[in-house]
Amino acid sequence: MFTVSNLSPSQSSMSEIYAPVQDFPRIPDNLTVPQFLLDVDHPARPNPPSVGVPWLIDDTSGRTFGKEELRARTHALANSLWTKYNIRDGDVVLIFSRNHCDYPVAIWAVHRIGGVISGANPDFTVDELTYQLEATKATFMFVYSDTQAIGTAVAAARRVNIPPSRIVLFGPASELSPESATIDALAREGLISKDTFVERRLAPGEGKTKLAFLSFSSGTTGKPKAVAIPHFALIANVIQLAVHNKINEAYTTWEDRRFRPGDICIGVLPFYHIYGLVINLHFILFASMSIVVIPRFNFVGMLNSIAKHRITHLMLVPPQVVLLCKHPAMATADIGSVRFIMVGAAPLTYEVTEQLIRIFPDAHIGQAYGMTETCTATTMWPIEHKRGAFGSGGQLMPGIVARVEKQDGTLAGFDEPGHLVIKTPSVALGYADNEAATKETFVDRWVRTGDEVRIDSNKEVWVLDRLKEIMKVRGFQVAPAELEGCLLDHPDVSDACVVGIPDDFSGEVPMAFVVPAPESAKRMEADKKAAAQIKASIVQHVADNKVKYKHLAGGVEFIDIIPKNPSGKLLRRVLRDKARHLQKSRAMAKL
């Protein structure tokens, strides 16, 4: 159904930087994700795992789900999907949902049959969801049971000819989609029905090519693209994380070990995002820990969850960390159980890092670096250190090979800046049905990250700048080209360029430089109020058509011409510098 470029092994003889630890257990290449997690043992996994430790804990009700219950529920749902909906090997199922205890069950049930999962942001607009449905060729949806999600899903499904009966709901049934069954009902039915489905078994080596996920990323440029992730990639990254963190080794005292069976991790990162999917969900379960599943992030609610469930491990993104440092509710928060904080998706500032350490003086605190294209983490702070070095994305993880390419094409040495290019066993296959974009990012199984870094002699990676165009807003990727396309649909816009500007809470936010349409320019000349009205209309246009984190929080600036090179490419860096200068000028004016 999907095509990706055939990536052959690298033939280059260029020097490379290897991770400090290279010896790690074999990565099984004949297992699906649920077979690896639910059915087999592995040398990197804690053995024996803590008896009686729940895998999932529902934040609201406190209900717990153990491994065997989840395994049985997965089997039952797979049975119903096969029998009632004729889902077969290779079919794509889209999950449009907030975190839910049945979210992994839905993933694993589809994988048992041989299907492919694509997770989507439940705050998407109808247009955004339609785009992902069309790009993945999905024929079936699991949808969160709230009014907004169901309404959006039904409208998008109508556009791509998915009948309402092929929408299945997390949680209770809804009058908004009366033909939709619920996962709970299907699981109960599947448990008492005769087994009819045929579980997908992989031949040796097939795990490296058998699709598991179509997870969306904007790559280094352009609109969001479906990253084709095979089963082997997720399994490989889980094992890399396990070995790097020595989760099955008594390398220090029990009290000071980073991950311990029976610890409790917060599950507030969205499972549709690669960070939440691989590290917060699959790795934590592999480590024999519990996950408190939280559907929607609310900071005060998160503090209550930490106290209620005695959560030990926080996996967060920078905006959430900023709240830990600045929110007034912290004055009375019961956070004494927290002993580990991992931050990913974007860098932390020095000031925030210092504040976090003061608030949690005894906790393990650090950052990791990764991409959807590498099926998440490629670096994490060294296991020998309780704290990651400020500004460091972490140490290269086991199995990782890196190059740092200078502008002249030669390879940088230690502590020299350049473009980071990564090779990892967890690499994706490429972008589905997008050969041009695949060739731009995936070169002979190396991934061109689009980030400027330096690597020191300890194999730690320090991210210096983003060479790629993509912005990171609250940990989410935002493609300027996508917003520019939306802006050009506005009648007052003749040309546009979107850049990211720094923001203390979100990391960065989108700002638009707009060339007004000729008639609009005349209106602004004739009426001083027109400029503000047009700006407000442009901002509202984006808000009406895009998910919240893509809104123009940085505002709109009018400009006479968008700078471009002779070939017509936007000189985005020029306007990024201009935007930051404007931002500083505004800040000075407020003093």
Side-chain angles (χ1 to χ4, degrees):
M1 178 181 291
F2 293 95
T3 61
V4 293
S5 294
N6 184 17
L7 306 177
S8 58
S10 172
Q11 301 298 314
S12 173
S13 60
M14 298 169 75
S15 58
E16 295 152 357
I17 301 171
Y18 288 81
V21 178
Q22 287 303 306
D23 295 329
F24 58 98
R26 176 181 176 273
I27 304 168
D29 60 12
N30 65 336
L31 296 176
T32 64
V33 168
Q35 288 164 357
F36 170 72
L37 200 65
L38 297 169
D39 300 345
V40 302
D41 293 323
H42 190 276
R45 194 171 199 171
N47 188 31
S50 294
V51 177
V53 172
W55 275 27
L56 303 177
I57 303 170
D58 181 81
D59 180 50
T60 303
S61 68
R63 182 185 173 189
T64 62
F65 296 81
K67 174 186 175 181
E68 290 308 316
E69 182 178 359
L70 290 172
R71 189 172 185 272
R73 197 167 176 83
T74 295
H75 182 97
L77 182 59
N79 198 28
S80 288
L81 294 177
W82 178 281
T83 305
K84 292 179 67 74
Y85 299 98
N86 199 37
I87 294 177
R88 296 293 186 266
D89 187 13
D91 288 351
V92 178
V93 173
L94 188 141
I95 301 182
F96 187 58
S97 178
R98 305 191 186 286
N99 290 0
H100 190 282
C101 287
D102 273 330
Y103 200 113
V105 171
I107 292 173
W108 301 332
V110 171
H111 285 167
R112 288 283 199 202
I113 299 169
V116 181
I117 288 290
S118 185
N121 186 333
D123 289 321
F124 271 174
T125 64
V126 175
D127 286 345
E128 289 169 318
L129 180 57
T130 301
Y131 174 82
Q132 186 159 334
L133 286 167
E134 290 175 339
T136 59
K137 305 180 180 67
T139 60
F140 187 95
M141 276 196 284
F142 289 112
V143 176
Y144 193 72
S145 290
D146 68 17
T147 301
Q148 177 186 330
I150 296 172
T152 301
V154 169
R158 188 180 300 118
R159 291 187 184 181
V160 297
N161 297 318
I162 294 177
S165 60
R166 292 183 69 80
I167 294 174
V168 167
L169 303 178
F170 291 93
S174 170
E175 293 180 358
L176 294 173
S177 187
E179 297 179 54
S180 298
T182 67
I183 288 181
D184 190 63
L186 292 176
R188 292 176 186 276
E189 185 176 334
L191 277 173
I192 61 175
S193 302
K194 179 181 178 182
D195 283 355
T196 57
F197 81 96
V198 178
E199 181 164 1
R200 183 63 158 86
R201 303 286 178 179
L202 305 182
E206 191 180 0
K208 294 181 177 181
T209 57
K210 173 60 179 165
L211 274 185
F213 299 97
L214 289 170
S215 296
F216 274 68
S217 164
S218 295
T220 56
T221 58
K223 293 184 72 173
K225 295 173 279 289
V227 181
I229 298 174
H231 290 268
F232 183 86
L234 184 144
I235 292 169
N237 202 240
V238 167
I239 293 173
Q240 287 174 297
L241 287 159
V243 173
H244 177 85
N245 289 289
K246 300 183 178 181
I247 67 171
N248 196 26
E249 297 181 37
Y251 64 93
T252 186
T253 63
W254 175 260
E255 291 74 19
D256 210 34
R257 283 171 64 173
R258 191 177 283 181
F259 293 99
R260 309 174 305 191
D263 281 342
I264 303 172
C265 185
I266 199 162
V268 74
L269 294 176
F271 293 156
Y272 65 81
H273 189 279
I274 199 72
Y275 179 11
L277 175 70
V278 179
I279 303 178
N280 203 170
L281 178 60
H282 286 87
F283 167 67
I284 288 297
L285 294 181
F286 185 82
S288 296
M289 293 169 57
S290 302
I291 302 171
V292 176
V293 179
I294 301 175
R296 186 195 292 267
F297 172 71
N298 170 278
F299 183 70
V300 174
M302 184 179 84
L303 295 182
N304 292 336
S305 298
I306 292 171
K308 175 182 177 182
H309 302 288
R310 307 310 298 162
I311 289 171
T312 58
H313 285 57
L314 305 182
M315 291 194 170
L316 305 173
V317 292
Q320 296 164 333
V321 175
V322 170
L323 290 171
L324 281 174
C325 297
K326 298 181 181 296
H327 199 284
M330 287 294 291
T332 57
D334 180 0
I335 53 175
S337 60
V338 175
R339 55 181 301 272
F340 172 95
I341 302 173
M342 175 175 169
V343 186
L348 282 179
T349 65
Y350 175 79
E351 292 77 12
V352 170
T353 304
E354 285 291 293
Q355 289 179 55
L356 190 65
I357 291 172
R358 286 199 296 270
I359 295 168
F360 298 93
D362 299 319
H364 297 249
I365 299 174
Q367 294 198 256
Y369 169 88
M371 304 170 66
T372 308
E373 289 80 357
T374 58
C375 198
T376 319
T378 53
T379 72
M380 189 172 178
W381 77 100
I383 191 64
E384 296 81 11
H385 301 157
K386 197 167 187 175
R387 301 280 163 70
F390 167 70
S392 169
Q395 193 175 57
L396 293 173
M397 292 207 309
I400 303 291
V401 188
R403 294 173 178 164
V404 179
E405 298 180 352
K406 295 193 285 189
Q407 288 187 349
D408 62 6
T410 61
L411 290 190
F414 288 128
D415 290 314
E416 288 188 296
H419 180 196
L420 177 63
V421 186
I422 289 280
K423 181 187 281 186
T424 173
S426 65
V427 67
L429 298 175
Y431 300 116
D433 293 335
N434 196 330
E435 185 174 354
T438 297
K439 288 182 176 179
E440 180 181 320
T441 300
F442 298 85
V443 181
D444 292 339
R445 300 200 70 82
W446 291 81
V447 177
R448 301 182 62 78
T449 66
D451 287 317
E452 182 183 34
V453 306
R454 67 176 177 87
I455 300 180
D456 66 20
S457 57
N458 293 321
K459 316 298 177 65
E460 287 209 44
V461 177
W462 306 75
V463 179
L464 306 176
D465 196 6
R466 189 169 302 133
L467 301 173
K468 58 191 178 183
E469 297 178 351
I470 303 305
M471 292 171 276
K472 278 288 186 75
V473 182
R474 303 183 191 178
F476 294 102
Q477 289 186 331
V478 177
E482 180 185 359
L483 296 185
E484 287 154 4
C486 181
L487 287 166
L488 291 172
D489 282 338
H490 191 284
D492 291 315
V493 177
S494 175
D495 200 359
C497 178
V498 175
V499 299
I501 58 173
D503 181 83
D504 289 341
F505 180 72
S506 297
E508 58 182 337
V509 293
M511 175 181 178
F513 285 94
V514 168
V515 177
E519 288 300 319
S520 304
K522 290 178 183 178
R523 275 170 38 219
M524 288 190 288
E525 288 179 7
D527 182 358
K528 292 182 179 180
K529 295 181 179 179
Q533 292 169 350
I534 292 172
K535 284 184 180 181
S537 175
I538 291 170
V539 169
Q540 188 61 48
H541 173 71
V542 174
D544 290 342
N545 288 280
K546 298 296 175 183
V547 69
K548 188 173 182 179
Y549 64 84
K550 297 178 184 177
H551 294 181
L552 297 177
V556 173
E557 284 293 326
F558 290 127
I559 193 170
D560 292 333
I561 189 169
I562 302 295
K564 300 175 184 177
N565 68 13
S567 66
K569 183 172 177 144
L570 299 180
L571 296 178
R572 207 177 299 279
R573 186 179 290 271
V574 173
L575 291 183
R576 188 182 299 122
D577 293 341
K578 182 177 179 68
R580 291 177 181 178
H581 176 73
L582 285 169
Q583 189 180 33
K584 288 180 181 177
S585 298
R586 291 169 182 165
M588 291 296 293
K590 292 180 180 179
L591 296 178

